[in-house]
Amino acid sequence: MIDPSSKYRIYLATKPVDFRKGMDGLANYIAQNFDLDPFSGAFFVFRSKGRDKIKVLMWDGTGLVLIYKRIEGNGFYWPKLSEGRVTMTKAQFEALFEGIDWRKVTSPKYLHPRSA
């Protein structure tokens, strides 16, 4: 399991991608479709058409890292198909990676103290 720290941005592509794409093809997809830098250190998560496979691409400072996971059962939970991307929290990413419905994972609301 990869474990992004909370300082990393995590982006989820909402549409399936061609799973024949490798690192360079996915990096190009990120640059062209998301207008983001694939070498920023962010995590980029992609799904297959069948919802049973994901690829995660990230730059670790020395090279591109590609993680591929196939899950058994009902597949990964994914938002409705649309153009673009969704930003995820670390907790949501961990739930997605484990096959849990990450859309139900929320961060607690913290109240900020008022100044006197």
Side-chain angles (χ1 to χ4, degrees):
M1 168 67 189
I2 54 175
D3 190 23
S5 72
S6 58
K7 70 177 182 169
Y8 287 111
R9 302 281 302 175
I10 304 166
Y11 299 103
L12 181 75
T14 55
K15 285 180 59 177
V17 298
D18 181 355
F19 253 50
R20 295 174 291 181
K21 289 183 187 293
M23 291 181 201
D24 296 327
L26 291 173
N28 189 40
Y29 184 91
I30 292 163
Q32 288 185 351
N33 294 294
F34 297 160
D35 198 28
L36 294 171
D37 180 9
F39 306 105
S40 65
F43 285 65
F44 299 94
V45 185
F46 302 94
R47 70 164 251 201
S48 66
K49 287 182 182 178
R51 292 185 334 121
D52 64 334
K53 298 181 221 42
I54 62 171
K55 284 187 177 181
V56 181
L57 183 72
M58 61 99 47
W59 173 261
D60 72 353
T62 61
L64 284 171
V65 178
L66 180 65
I67 294 100
Y68 180 108
K69 182 172 182 175
R70 182 181 69 209
I71 195 165
E72 301 300 323
N74 295 330
F76 293 100
Y77 291 91
W78 221 258
K80 292 182 180 179
L81 297 180
S82 64
E83 294 292 332
R85 59 179 155 67
V86 172
T87 304
M88 305 179 83
T89 65
K90 178 183 176 187
Q92 289 172 325
F93 172 77
E94 290 172 349
L96 169 75
F97 202 82
E98 293 299 321
I100 299 168
D101 189 351
W102 62 272
R103 299 167 298 182
K104 296 179 181 177
V105 176
T106 60
S107 298
K109 304 288 184 211
Y110 293 104
L111 299 176
H112 296 282
R114 296 182 183 181
S115 57

